[in-house]
Amino acid sequence: EAMLWPAEWLDEHPTLPVLLTEGEGDCLLAMQESDGQYVAVAVTGGAGTVPRDLSKLAGREVYVAFDLDDAGRKGMDKMVAALGKAGARAAALDLARLGVSGRGADLSDYFRAFGGTAAKLTAELERLRALGPDDDGLVAALADLMVQGDESAVQDFLPDMLTDEQIGELDPPAWTVHGWALIDNYTSIYGEPGVMKTFAILDLLRSVRAGVPWLGNPTVRGATLLFEGEGLTQLQPRIAAWNAYQELSPADLAPGLSGAVSIDLSTPEGVARVVRTVRSAEARWGERVRVVAFDPAVEFMPNEDVETMDLFTRGVRALARYLHVAVVVGHHSNAAGERARGGDQMRMRAGVHVRMERIDPERGVVGVVQEKNRFAAPLAMEVAPLAVEDSLVLSMEARMSRAEYAAARASAERTSGVERQRARVRELVVANQSDNDRVVLDYLRGNPWQSGRKVRAFTAGKGIGTDATGNTLESLAVRGLVVTRPAPRNATEYALPEDVTA
């Protein structure tokens, strides 16, 4: 019969961790060598049997140390599961980690043949205790891989690691559109419907094909591909207007193609089809493709849930790196218009993340502001639509840093009247704000002019990472929801606009 033996030892040592052995001999020897560090108890009846009554182990730390054979390993897994159901804090103790080897080797071999000691065994118990519960089996799987000692199965990364000197010799980031479209990564451009995102993307692509500045930003001339998910007929008057405005003919441009095709970029197969298309186009033209664009993103994935957005953003980033090109992605904003739709993956993986917003509806002026730039100081522009022939083109009105843009927007808002400013801020704070926004705004409402370090320290206590808080502060400043001022030691202090009260 399967039982715990000798069960009375558990009552005699109620505070010690329990070492559960496969047989009585292992138990006696382990207890003899315990030095008062643990209490050993055997399971009678073999490794595959579980005693019906495990109540004496409820609430105890139990470490199962069965033999090094298939029956022992399977028995340990079965026993650990049963102990968990009985209320014990159980873990499997792998004797191989303690230097024991040989099929069927057991705890007695550990003490008699492999120089085992209670101190060494206790140290392993401490390690297992620190790991905590292994609910998904990851720790056990990792231990199995490392114990095997198979270098072909578990190779190190040393050949891929670089010294400081080698890092210094790396090429700097390269831009197809300087400051805006980064090679080997993607640029996401999002905004509300009608804010001229497609105009901006088409303008960027044709500027690259012509080798002319895009809204004042230098470009590298080359071929482009546009995957347009909302139809190609809308592009006809826009292309004609752009050519007329730039006074260019098709012969002045590098090759380019646009397609209204169905691709799922959240799958490797979809990304591979784009790679093959780019390679085929380059072979036909004998010229490098510099930019590949997708507009809008929702047309190139089955839905916009977090999992699909994660796969999509990984896909377009992999595409950029594999082809060594810049990728541009058009994307919609959420219903309130203040952030990109879906999860945060689009911004997280982007080299440059851009928001387009209306800032002067009467004149049609649009702000183009970088919420993120991985390798340069974030930039901003103000652009206006200009009627040309039967369509519109974008005309650059001002270029500036994101900080200058935010200051100008805040100043414009203040001059529009106290009540308008107050209503706008309240609406943005209340409606559809992220949890991070709310935490930071609530803190600054009662604690004005706090440094970024103090804000990060507070939000860390709320479970928000320092990078996430930094991004939130930048976003709130850009949207005019917080104001900033310089502080000593190159710090920045934050507060709500002074005419906004709790």
Side-chain angles (χ1 to χ4, degrees):
E1 181 181 358
M3 64 177 66
L4 299 176
W5 179 90
E8 58 269 21
W9 285 2
L10 296 172
D11 298 327
E12 294 172 8
H13 305 281
T15 61
L16 293 180
V18 179
L19 191 64
L20 200 60
T21 72
E22 185 174 334
E24 295 91 328
D26 288 347
C27 170
L28 292 171
L29 183 56
M31 193 64 177
Q32 173 182 302
E33 300 292 333
S34 67
D35 197 25
Q37 301 298 307
Y38 55 82
V39 56
V41 177
V43 175
T44 64
T49 59
V50 176
R52 293 182 181 180
D53 184 10
L54 295 174
S55 60
K56 282 186 172 292
L57 297 176
R60 301 283 297 261
E61 284 186 47
V62 184
Y63 300 92
V64 185
F66 287 178
D67 299 355
L68 287 180
D69 53 22
D70 291 341
R73 291 187 181 279
K74 292 178 181 178
M76 279 199 295
D77 292 339
K78 186 176 180 181
M79 184 63 70
V80 167
L83 288 166
K85 293 179 181 179
R89 300 187 300 278
L93 192 155
D94 188 349
L95 294 175
R97 280 191 52 85
L98 298 172
V100 179
S101 61
R103 185 173 180 80
D106 56 22
L107 195 58
S108 294
D109 294 320
Y110 165 72
F111 287 109
R112 293 185 300 192
F114 291 94
T117 64
K120 187 176 179 182
L121 184 59
T122 303
E124 178 64 7
L125 302 188
E126 291 287 345
R127 187 190 72 84
L128 291 172
R129 182 181 299 113
L131 289 176
D134 183 21
D135 295 333
D136 58 6
L138 180 59
V139 173
L142 176 60
D144 285 343
L145 284 172
M146 299 309 296
V147 165
Q148 291 171 12
D150 185 353
E151 294 187 2
S152 64
V154 184
Q155 296 178 328
D156 64 59
F157 286 109
L158 278 183
D160 302 307
M161 309 298 282
L162 301 181
T163 65
D164 292 349
E165 290 75 14
Q166 291 170 319
I167 292 174
E169 295 171 358
L170 294 176
D171 293 332
W175 303 87
T176 297
V177 179
H178 188 74
W180 291 87
L182 182 67
I183 294 175
D184 293 340
N185 213 313
Y186 69 87
T187 295
S188 51
I189 301 176
Y190 81 92
E192 296 179 87
V195 79
M196 304 188 76
K197 298 186 299 294
T198 303
F199 279 91
I201 293 172
L202 183 64
D203 192 4
L204 184 150
L205 294 174
R206 299 189 73 76
S207 297
V208 170
R209 289 177 61 189
V212 300
W214 175 63
L215 299 172
N217 301 284
T219 65
V220 176
R221 188 181 189 276
T224 68
L225 291 180
L226 169 62
F227 293 85
E228 178 53 59
E230 296 180 340
L232 301 180
T233 55
Q234 62 171 319
L235 303 182
Q236 292 175 336
R238 301 177 186 184
I239 290 173
W242 191 90
N243 288 346
Y245 179 67
Q246 296 287 346
E247 298 181 347
L248 294 171
S249 68
D252 298 319
L253 275 62
L257 287 172
S258 300
V261 296
S262 178
I263 312 169
D264 183 358
L265 293 176
S266 67
T267 67
E269 294 78 13
V271 176
R273 291 193 67 185
V274 177
V275 171
R276 181 62 57 85
T277 302
V278 171
R279 294 294 191 226
S280 298
E282 291 177 333
R284 177 193 299 180
W285 297 326
E287 187 162 350
R288 279 284 312 280
V289 169
R290 298 289 184 180
V291 183
V292 180
F294 303 93
D295 179 52
V298 67
E299 297 296 334
F300 301 99
M301 54 181 151
N303 55 66
E304 291 179 303
D305 61 26
V306 172
E307 181 179 358
T308 305
M309 286 291 293
D310 183 68
L311 294 172
F312 173 87
T313 54
R314 290 180 185 274
V316 292
R317 186 178 64 178
L319 177 70
R321 292 176 176 177
Y322 190 87
L323 291 171
H324 194 52
V325 299
V327 172
V328 177
V329 179
H331 191 39
H332 296 308
S333 64
N334 66 347
E338 83 275 3
R339 54 186 172 85
R341 198 159 73 184
D344 198 34
Q345 287 83 359
M346 188 70 80
R347 182 198 63 81
M348 286 168 47
R349 293 198 173 91
V352 180
H353 188 57
V354 180
R355 184 180 77 256
M356 293 185 66
E357 60 183 3
R358 298 179 183 87
I359 57 176
D360 187 345
E362 293 183 3
R363 297 176 52 230
V365 177
V366 172
V368 186
V369 56
Q370 295 180 356
E371 293 186 336
K372 171 188 175 182
N373 190 321
R374 190 182 294 275
F375 294 106
L379 304 172
M381 299 184 292
E382 294 180 0
V383 299
L386 185 65
V388 177
E389 296 191 347
D390 296 327
S391 186
L392 301 170
V393 297
L394 293 177
S395 173
M396 194 270 291
E397 298 226 328
R399 297 170 60 210
M400 63 204 79
S401 70
R402 181 179 63 187
E404 292 169 334
Y405 175 88
R409 296 296 304 132
S411 176
E413 287 294 336
R414 283 194 293 272
T415 60
S416 68
V418 173
E419 285 304 317
R420 181 178 174 184
Q421 167 77 350
R422 186 171 293 169
R424 174 180 176 273
V425 172
R426 284 174 178 165
E427 178 184 356
L428 289 174
V429 170
V430 173
N432 296 299
Q433 291 297 302
S434 70
D435 291 339
N436 291 7
D437 287 355
R438 292 193 185 96
V439 170
V440 172
L441 290 170
D442 287 345
Y443 175 65
L444 292 177
R445 184 169 288 111
N447 303 273
W449 298 120
Q450 295 295 311
S451 67
R453 180 180 60 81
K454 290 185 178 179
V455 176
R456 291 182 178 88
F458 173 78
T459 56
K462 302 293 184 180
I464 302 174
T466 56
D467 289 343
T469 299
N471 292 334
T472 297
L473 286 170
E474 288 186 9
S475 176
L476 292 172
V478 167
R479 287 180 275 158
L481 298 182
V482 300
V483 293
T484 64
R485 70 183 183 187
R489 299 181 181 178
N490 296 321
T492 300
E493 293 179 338
Y494 300 85
L496 299 184
E498 59 189 16
D499 58 338
V500 178
T501 67

